[in-house]
C-alpha cells in the first residue's frame, strides 16, 4: 500500500495529495542537493494535473518501495537521474489525478466528460462556463477508480515545464529553515 496520505481529501497514489482548500502536495523522493528537484519533480505532476502553481508545495517522501528510483533500484539520489527517472511516472501520476477530477466534475454536473477541461487548479464545463476548483472535487474524485489508460500532454502544451517558475524551496533556503541531509 502507498504511504499514509496524511489526511488528504484526495490521494490517488503515493505522490499526490490534494486538500479541500485546493492545495496540492507532491511527495519528493530525491534529496535536494542544489539541483532543484524539490521544484522540478512537483512541476512534472503540476504540469499534467493542470494545477495552479501557487497552490503547489512539496514534502520529502518517507522511506517506501513506492518511491524507488527505477533507474538505480533504490530510494536514493545520484547519477543525475532524478528528473530522468521521474519524467514519465510523475507525469502519469498527474494525468491520472487530472482524469479522476474531470470524471468527478462531469458526474457532479451530470454532463459528458468530453465537455469538461482542466485549467489552473479546476475543472471547467465548456458549454456552460461552470467551474469547480480541485478542492471542491476531492471527496467525489477519491471514489473514482484510478484509470489504467491516460494520455500525457504534448510538450507544445506545456505551461510549466521548461518555463521559469518560483522555486518551492527558496524561502526555506534563504531563511535558513531548509534541512539538508
Amino acid at each position: 500500500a502507498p504511504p499514509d496520505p496524511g489526511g488528504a481529501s484526495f490521494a490517488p497514489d503515493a505522490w499526490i495529495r490534494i486538500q479541500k482548500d485546493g492545495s496540492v502536495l507532491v511527495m519528493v523522493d530525491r534529496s535536494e542537493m542544489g539541483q532543484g528537484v524539490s521544484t522540478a519533480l512537483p512541476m512534472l505532476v503540476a504540469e499534467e494535473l493542470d494545477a495552479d502553481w501557487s497552490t503547489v508545495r512539496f514534502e520529502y517522501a518517507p522511506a517506501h518501495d513506492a518511491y524507488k528510483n527505477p533507474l538505480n533500484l533504490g530510494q536514493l539520489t545520484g547519477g543525475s537521474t532524478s528528473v530522468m527517472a521521474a519524467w514519465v511516472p510523475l507525469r502519469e501520476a498527474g494525468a491520472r489525478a487530472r482524469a479522476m477530477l474531470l470524471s468527478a466534475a462531469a458526474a457532479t454536473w451530470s454532463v459528458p466528460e468530453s465537455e469538461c477541461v482542466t485549467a489552473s487548479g479546476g475543472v471547467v464545463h465548456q458549454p456552460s462556463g461552470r467551474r469547480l476548483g480541485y478542492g471542491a472535487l476531492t471527496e467525489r474524485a477519491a471514489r473514482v477508480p484510478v484509470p489504467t489508460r491516460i494520455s500525457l500532454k504534448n510538450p507544445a502544451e506545456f505551461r510549466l515545464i521548461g518555463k521559469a517558475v518560483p522555486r518551492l524551496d527558496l524561502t526555506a533556503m534563504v531563511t535558513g529553515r531548509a534541512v539538508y541531509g
Side-chain angles (χ1 to χ4, degrees):
D4 179 351
S9 297
F10 177 49
D13 56 35
W15 306 101
I16 304 168
R17 315 280 185 260
I18 301 177
Q19 303 296 337
K20 286 185 180 187
D21 67 0
S23 62
V24 177
L25 173 67
V26 178
M27 303 305 291
V28 171
D29 63 335
R30 305 300 194 282
S31 296
E32 178 59 64
M33 295 185 224
Q35 76 280 37
V37 297
S38 56
T39 295
L41 300 187
M43 187 184 295
L44 297 175
V45 170
E47 181 68 67
E48 293 293 341
L49 182 60
D50 280 329
D52 174 350
W53 187 248
S54 70
T55 69
V56 177
R57 56 191 180 85
F58 79 97
E59 284 183 13
Y60 290 109
H64 192 278
D65 285 347
Y67 302 114
K68 281 187 177 176
N69 181 328
L71 297 180
N72 59 31
L73 305 178
Q75 187 174 341
L76 54 98
T77 303
S80 298
T81 63
S82 294
V83 173
M84 181 173 40
W87 181 255
V88 172
L90 291 188
R91 289 181 60 212
E92 287 176 343
R96 276 191 294 277
R98 180 186 71 231
M100 294 168 76
L101 290 158
L102 272 169
S103 180
T108 298
W109 294 319
S110 299
V111 300
E113 282 185 44
S114 60
E115 294 181 356
C116 300
V117 296
T118 55
S120 194
V123 179
V124 177
H125 179 237
Q126 291 181 302
S128 68
R130 290 179 287 186
R131 182 183 195 284
L132 282 171
Y134 289 162
L137 295 166
T138 57
E139 287 183 32
R140 191 164 205 154
R143 295 190 304 269
V144 172
V146 178
T148 55
R149 303 188 82 182
I150 42 98
S151 297
L152 298 178
K153 286 183 179 180
N154 180 312
E157 301 173 272
F158 289 168
R159 61 181 186 78
L160 293 173
I161 294 175
K163 312 293 189 290
V165 297
R167 281 186 65 145
L168 298 179
D169 58 356
L170 188 59
T171 300
M173 286 193 295
V174 300
T175 60
R177 291 190 323 241
V179 177
Y180 295 93

